[in-house]
């Protein structure tokens, strides 16, 4: 029999709709990666009896139950007690957990209160899962036929605990019965999901041959505006080879639309490219209101490459801050090729940076005209080689126009640094309404 798993998330806030249950979805992907079938996801409130009966029901059905939440120091955190009841064991003070709590509180300069000590009590026989991001330790315990793993509700703590503490133990305990999948993600910007799907049609049979198609490897898409991730999942002895072949074949079809792999973010890719080229960046933003600056600074270490960002929103400050000539504004307006070129040159000169990038557009919903409809955005990229201009009409609403414009501006930089050929320049492609996520 293949292993089956369930997820139990706890907390009144989940049932009230105050908190989106991201722990369940995150854990579900991790379980899938382990090659374990997920039978169901259950959510309950904080009531002791309800948590206990949910635990009993799941433990009668599955081999592995992942529980999130309710390990905190307060009275409404009842998971530990509910597990002890379901397992029919006592709670026991774990000296190692108490010591970790003491050390953590001492570092922060807080006294340890009795309700914190409660967190060092876990069901007898359970294996402690240390929490290096917070106070509540987790634990792993056998209840009937099922392994029950309890983790804190705070997503950051749960993720760190799963990856560092639980996953290795599960592989050790259940190793023979599970076949972890190999997962590879190609992170793309510049094409919509359906355009990518179109380009990757027949990828599996053409890259792997008909023999490998039956479940050994699969391709998925995950869209999160304005990015799309192409995810390969492969199992079995040939998993690494299959993933490598799929990646090579997909890259041939997607070109420089692939900015990075796995955990790499778009801003990390931009910052890394600038850093390796020893280049620096300055931004003059109008309709994006600073979003491009926010995007680039999401990557740690962006201060190595990012020098200046100005939000020149009014015409007056387009003149005063980045030197857009009065006649350019009078003749062409702020949303124009000429204005973007002047902004890019101006901000580059102001910062003395390798690149100056400008964004000026109409994010709407008002302000559009026949000539310049809502979504019209002019971009410019100034470098020692001159100035490049790009004009797009983005068929979205205000927020998406802003986000996409910030991405396009940084993609201009990324592709210039990589000196991509015009043939596979993502910005040659048109944006269509199907870009979503
Ligand atoms: P703590 O010691 O921090 O109280 P805990 O194990 O008691 O840890 P909870 O009190 O259940 O955790 O949740 C803490 C916070 O984590 C919640 O307020 C909520 O913001 C977040 N959280 C809880 N469960 C989930 C979930 N399933 N998905 C996303 N966020 C969650
Ligand atoms: Mg709590």
């Amino acid at each position: 029999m293949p292993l089956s798993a369930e997820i139990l998330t706890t907390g009144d806030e989940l049932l009230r709709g105050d908190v989106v249950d991201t722990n369940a979805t995150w854990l579900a992907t991790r379980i899938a990666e382990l090659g374990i079938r997920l039978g169901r996801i259950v959510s309950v409130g904080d009531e002791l009896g309800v948590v206990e009966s949910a635990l009993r029901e799941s433990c009668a059905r599955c081999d592995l139950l992942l529980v999130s939440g309710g390990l905190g120091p307060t009275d409404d955190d009842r998971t530990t007690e509910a597990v002890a009841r379901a397992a029919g064991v006592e709670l026991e003070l774990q000296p190692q957990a108490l010591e970790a709590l003491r050390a953590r509180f001492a570092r922060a300069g807080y006294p340890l209160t009795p309700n914190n000590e409660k967190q060092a009590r876990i069901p007898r026989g359970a294996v402690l899962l240390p929490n290096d991001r917070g106070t509540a330790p987790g634990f792993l315990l056998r209840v009937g036929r099922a392994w029950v793993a309890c983790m804190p509700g705070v997503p950051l703590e749960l993720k760190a605990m799963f990856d560092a503490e639980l996953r290795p133990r599960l592989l050790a305990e259940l190793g023979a019965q599970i076949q972890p999948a190999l997962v590879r993600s190609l992170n793309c910007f510049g094409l919509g999901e359906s355009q990518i799907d179109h380009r990757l049609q027949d990828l599996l049979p053409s890259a792997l041959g008909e023999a490998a198609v039956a479940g050994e490897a699969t391709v998925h898409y995950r869209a999160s505006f304005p990015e799309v991730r192409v995810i390969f999942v492969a199992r079995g002895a040939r998993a690494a080879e299959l993933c490598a072949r799929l990646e090579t074949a997909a890259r041939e079809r997607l070109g420089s639309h692939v900015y990075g792999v796995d955990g790499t973010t778009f801003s990390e890719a931009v910052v890394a490219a600038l850093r390796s080229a020893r280049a620096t960046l300055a931004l003059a933003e109008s309709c994006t209101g600073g979003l491009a600056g926010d995007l680039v600074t999401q990557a740690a270490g962006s201060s190595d490459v990012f020098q200046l960002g100005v939000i020149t929103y009014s015409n007056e400050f387009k003149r005063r801050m980045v030197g857009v000539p009065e006649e350019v504004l009078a003749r062409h307006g702020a949303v124009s090729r000429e204005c973007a070129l002047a902004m890019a040159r101006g901000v580059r000169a102001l910062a003395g940076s390798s690149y100056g990038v400008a964004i000026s557009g109409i994010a709407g919903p008002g302000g559009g005209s026949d000539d310049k409809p809502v979504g019209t955005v002019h971009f410019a990229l100034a470098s020692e080689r001159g100035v490049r201009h790009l004009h797009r009409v983005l068929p979205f609403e205000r927020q998406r126009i802003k986000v996409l414009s910030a991405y396009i501006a940084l993609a201009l930089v990324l592709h210039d640094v990589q000196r991509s050929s015009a043939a596979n320049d993502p910005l040659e492609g048109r944006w269509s309404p199907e870009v979503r996520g």
Side-chain angles (χ1 to χ4, degrees), residues 9-11 13-14 19-24 46 68-74 76-77 119 135-136 151-155 157:
T9 54
T10 68
E13 69 271 28
L14 297 176
V19 169
V20 180
D21 191 350
T22 55
N23 288 346
D46 289 318
S68 123
L71 302 184
T74 57
D76 59 1
D77 293 312
Q119 291 182 289
T135 57
M151 290 167 283
V154 182
E157 299 176 22

Side-chain angles (χ1 to χ4, degrees), residues 8 43-57 82:
L8 174 63
S43 294
V44 295
D46 289 318
E47 207 185 315
L48 180 62
V50 176
V51 179
E52 185 189 338
S53 62
L55 283 163
R56 286 182 188 279
E57 287 165 23

Side-chain angles (χ1 to χ4, degrees), residues 186-201 219-222 227-230 250 253-254 257-258 434:
L186 298 190
N187 308 338
C188 305
F189 168 69
L191 287 177
E193 199 178 358
S194 70
Q195 293 167 293
I196 290 184
D197 180 59
H198 180 68
R199 290 195 186 201
L200 297 188
Q201 254 175 15
V219 183
H220 312 263
Y221 303 108
R222 195 179 296 159
E227 299 190 32
V228 179
R229 294 188 170 211
V230 179
R253 301 184 191 193
L254 299 173
H257 294 291
V258 179
E434 70 211 7

